[in-house]
Amino acid sequence: MTHSSTIPFTSHIIEIPGGRLYYEVRGQGPLVALLGAPMDATSFAPLADLLASDHTVLTTDPRGINRSPLDDPGQDSTPPLRADDLSRLLTHLDAGPATILGSSGGAVTALALAQTHPEQVRTVIAHEPPLIELLADRERLHATTDDLIATYLAGDVVGAWAKVMAQANIIMPEGALETMFGGDRDPRQVADERRWFAHELRATTRWQPDLDVLRATPIDIVVGIGDDSSRQLCDRTSRALATALGLEPTLFPGDHTGFVEDPDRFAARLRDVLHER
């Protein structure tokens, strides 16, 4: 998906251990970081544009994705490594403490940062983190994750994505996966996808949050769930996190990627949540 930003932004690169990190800054006001993994800055651009009228909005390509190359492309992308990258970036910008909206793997990154550098964070909105370790059937789910990774690395891209959707309990229309993931595809998209399967998915879904640290943190933690995500895997993991932290989940429009499908409604809800804080 491409997006022509309607708001001026500046793009920069900083050195990180073992690579370089691409990031964009737009707008003025309190700092909000929009975080994905593996989603890059481009995926968040529509939402970032909407928030930039009264916020300084930070978006990045996480390590190893798109414009953030690594010296060793075979290095795994773990939540602690990505949290360290974000910590370095916030220090570089000297603009904290930040409000962070992390989605999916980006929500795991944000929670890891909350544990290690609470002084850099004001609020974490963890939108659908895939924290499989919090579920009673985690061993079965880890096994299916290992299987779908193996399927992808064996060359069956559509089959691997079918297993991803089955594990996530996301129902796709007939033929949709073949349309999305078959045939000729953008080489950059394929490279980032392969990196996610080979070097990011396992470490992200096996990350174990330190619930005692998160319960005791002064950081305001919000657990976000898409209102169309009912009974999906990330609905279950998010509710498990909210229960463990003694929080009520906060509903956002759409499903796991609601900020991409309907950024206007998502931005309006996010503004409401930020104003409530």
Side-chain angles (χ1 to χ4, degrees):
M1 174 182 166
T2 59
H3 169 77
S4 297
S5 180
T6 57
I7 303 293
F9 65 87
T10 58
S11 59
H12 314 266
I13 292 176
I14 63 165
E15 298 289 323
I16 54 173
R20 291 167 296 289
L21 192 72
Y22 172 90
Y23 69 95
E24 297 174 358
V25 178
R26 44 167 66 72
Q28 285 185 312
L31 179 65
V32 175
L34 305 179
L35 218 59
M39 276 191 164
D40 63 8
T42 306
S43 305
F44 286 93
L47 179 59
D49 283 353
L50 291 165
L51 295 175
S53 60
D54 54 357
H55 291 86
T56 299
V57 187
L58 170 67
T59 56
T60 77
D61 292 357
R63 59 168 44 232
I65 296 294
N66 199 349
R67 296 155 290 192
S68 294
L70 294 177
D71 299 337
D72 174 13
Q75 182 193 52
D76 286 342
S77 173
T78 67
L81 270 178
R82 298 195 303 269
D84 182 66
D85 293 343
L86 184 58
S87 173
R88 290 171 187 274
L89 181 51
L90 292 173
T91 299
H92 172 75
L93 293 173
D94 193 24
T99 293
I100 301 173
L101 169 75
S103 187
S104 195
V108 182
T109 307
L111 292 167
L113 180 68
Q115 291 182 186
T116 53
H117 291 284
E119 74 284 355
Q120 293 186 302
V121 186
R122 175 178 286 112
T123 302
V124 166
I125 302 167
H127 182 261
E128 301 209 358
L131 297 171
I132 286 175
E133 278 293 307
L134 299 181
L135 300 179
D137 56 345
R138 58 186 169 273
E139 294 306 322
R140 177 186 69 82
L141 289 164
H142 288 324
T144 60
T145 298
D146 290 343
D147 175 63
L148 64 88
I149 291 170
T151 300
Y152 185 89
L153 296 180
D156 184 1
V157 174
V158 173
W161 277 108
K163 291 180 178 182
V164 169
M165 297 304 173
Q167 186 197 55
N169 200 26
I170 296 174
I171 310 302
M172 299 294 289
E174 188 74 31
L177 293 179
E178 288 79 5
T179 301
M180 294 167 68
F181 303 110
D184 288 337
R185 300 171 63 204
D186 176 62
R188 166 48 57 191
Q189 184 181 10
V190 172
D192 290 346
E193 173 189 88
R194 183 175 183 83
R195 173 158 185 80
W196 180 68
F197 275 102
H199 297 294
E200 188 171 303
L201 177 57
R202 187 180 280 112
T204 298
T205 55
R206 288 178 180 261
W207 185 72
Q208 172 73 57
D210 190 327
L211 296 172
D212 290 334
V213 168
L214 292 177
R215 287 186 196 107
T217 188
I219 296 168
D220 189 15
I221 297 179
V222 178
V223 179
I225 303 175
D227 53 19
D228 293 335
S229 298
S230 180
R231 293 184 293 280
Q232 293 179 5
L233 176 60
C234 285
D235 174 82
R236 293 179 56 212
T237 56
S238 301
R239 291 183 186 279
L241 175 65
T243 298
L245 298 181
L247 302 172
E248 277 295 316
T250 298
L251 292 180
F252 283 82
D255 56 13
H256 192 60
T257 55
F259 56 92
V260 175
E261 270 89 48
D262 195 342
D264 291 279
R265 285 181 63 222
F266 196 97
R269 179 67 179 127
L270 179 56
R271 283 185 186 285
D272 289 344
V273 171
L274 294 178
H275 289 150
E276 287 164 11
R277 310 331 289 180

